[in-house]
Amino acid sequence: MTLTPAEVQPIATTTSGLQGRNSLARLGAWCYDHRRRVLIGWLVGAVVVIALASTIGARFLNDFGGVGQSQQVQNILQERFPTRVGDTAEVVFHSSAPLDSPLVRSRINATLASLRPLHSVTSVSTLTRSPDDRIGFATVQFNAVSDKLPTSDVQRVIDVAGSFAKPGLEVALGGTPISAVVSPSPGSSEGIGILAAIIIMLLAFGSIVAMGLPILTALVGVGVGYGVVALVSHLLIDPTFGPEMMAMVGLGVGIDYALFIVTRYRQGLGEELSPRDAVVRSMSTAGRAVLFAGSTVFISLLGLFLVGQSYLNGLAVGTILTVLTVMAAALTLLPAMLGFSGRAIDRLRVPGLLPAATRDRPRGFWWRWSRTVQRRPWLCGLAALVTLGLLALPLFSMRLAFTDAGNDPTNLTTRQAYDLISSGFGPGFNGPLVLAAELPGGAKDRAVLEAFERRLSAVPGVARVEPPTYNTSGDTAVLIVYPTSSPQATTTSTLVQRLRSTIIPRATAGTDVKILVGGETAAGIDASSHLAQRLPLVIGLVILLSFVLLMSVFRSVLIPLKAAAMNLLSIGAAYGAIVAVYQWGWLSSIFAVSRTGPIDPWIPMMMFTITFGLSMDYEVFLLTRVQEEWLQGRDNSNAVADGIALTGRVITAAAAIMVCVFGSFVIGDPLRVLDVFGLGLAVAILVDATLVRMILVPSIMQILGNANWWFPRWLDRAVPHFNVESGSIPEKTLIAVASNTPQAPTQIPRTSGN
């Protein structure tokens, strides 16, 4: 049954009945009254956490795990080739004179001889020369995989090899151990994002004090969050780019959360509430929305644990801890800071900017915009859907694969080594395949392997095959196969699949020989396939949990369905944008994309969980105001228009801040994965706050009418209640609850459906 405002049933509620539901109001009042303690507590806590993190240090590792056949190869190497179980690096030489000339040859030999006795190095191969004898490389074998190698040992290899470079002889190093140690200089992304947020909030608030409080709260929260994540990195596997990604998310949500609360606080002052009462009201309304939004991000990130990859677990935990820290700062430190500012929050005004909040109901741009959309709901809705569909089209061409060192900044030694090897030998030499062959039949099986080696050399896509190396017992061999294409290329992935599905089975048919394809390149291919298979599961679980959560908040079936569909459209547009820019190369000069490539497989999964959680901020912030207006007796059309009018400016400001923070990583960070991640989040938030919230939501809610609030009685009994904002509860009741003083029974509206 569809409810109308006239059918809302009043129920009596006393102050004591509201105590549990308004714990945030009491928390805000306590933080306001004890603001010095709260401020000192946060400052001391921040100093202690950051000092501990600096003393103990962090342990961020690029350990992306292993799955499938490539992991089986790694296990065989560990058991039967202990000297080859570790990762390898390449020392690449480029000379203006032939490498075989006496002076160049002696210097290269001296370089390799100096590397062999270094700690963690088990062997250094002889030099492999290019056909023109100008480029050569030697392989350095380490005794452990990259995440187990001491950073100082790898750095020592880099320093020793680099010391032999001279004019006319270039020395560069590549490989996973080198990439784990060498990283580009930090970009200016965080500073750019904060500067943009300052400008936007000055325009939104028109006050330096009101602008500064959200920035200060977010910075304190992110600082404490980083210290906590650095300490937790000793317990979990977290990639080296994790801290920057967490700073990106932490700054965005931290400023947004504080922005919502400060906006409600200023509205309270404009309605002639005292500063303390305005804090109570802002915490019981916007504070509850912040708590809900943070919880949604938390729930979304839990979906990453379904993947079964340790580094994704680490990214999820780190991001959850960061979001919880900035949320805690918004709910405790910010009310205390509001206590210090009081009514002075609107002082130090910037001339000519927006006036302070008043009690008048807004009838400005956003109200007129909503009415325009509501007059033509079908036309506006279809136009927005078509636009979103066009933006999302490129996602159907998305190719998931780990990018290689060819995407590194050109000033890094890993990129220089990659380019030199590609120039001298072909791009496939940057990612050789490691084939492990089990030979239980002795000499007979060796003959099979030698025949396979000859056949393998003629396979399209294979550039070179190294002769097999046998273990001491002779029952296992290793072959090194160099593809003709780069590690991230589609043809390399195709070659691996053909070897496994066709070429190897045919070569070993009727024998006991078992040949497996592994190595870092194959491991990346296996991991990409694994993540692609798990992505639908993660998306399905997150949507289901969010659907139930929204049902419990809005007591509606259609609103959660609409929210899930709209969020999928937003993330689809974001996926389309990153494919068009980073995979297809559109606007590559604008986004400084030096080389196109696939999308790292963890990015779509991480983007979905974070975007889905963040987009709920705007969904809840808008719809709670719409619901509040509807419950106060306005018809559905007026409730939607007033809800958008009351939230349009703050949603726009909050979205603009997030877009700028995320977008700053695209222009200010040299790491490609963060560029891709930042652009995806920026596009998702931009689309969500414009096409979705300001066009699709009012048009669809206008078309559905009162059916928006349809909720069967049996479902109302089954789904638990979760109140996000208490905006319909009288102000004096909230203040009494926060003060723990008696209050007469009051009437608050409650919906129930059949």
Side-chain angles (χ1 to χ4, degrees), residues 62 90 92 155 158 170-186 240 244 404-421 430 594 669-673:
N62 286 333
E90 292 76 42
V92 188
Q155 187 63 53
I158 297 172
E170 180 183 356
V171 181
L173 292 93
T176 303
I178 309 300
S179 297
V181 173
V182 175
S183 59
S185 301
T240 54
E244 292 184 82
D404 53 39
N407 298 283
D408 289 351
T410 54
N411 63 329
L412 288 189
T413 187
T414 51
R415 173 63 182 273
Q416 295 162 8
Y418 181 96
D419 290 342
L420 287 173
I421 289 177
N430 286 288
S594 61
D669 200 284
L671 279 178
R672 183 183 191 270
V673 291

Side-chain angles (χ1 to χ4, degrees), residues 9-31:
Q9 302 173 4
I11 59 173
T13 301
T14 64
T15 299
S16 60
L18 293 170
Q19 292 288 340
R21 294 175 60 196
N22 291 280
S23 56
L24 281 178
R26 289 185 282 113
L27 174 64
W30 189 92
C31 292

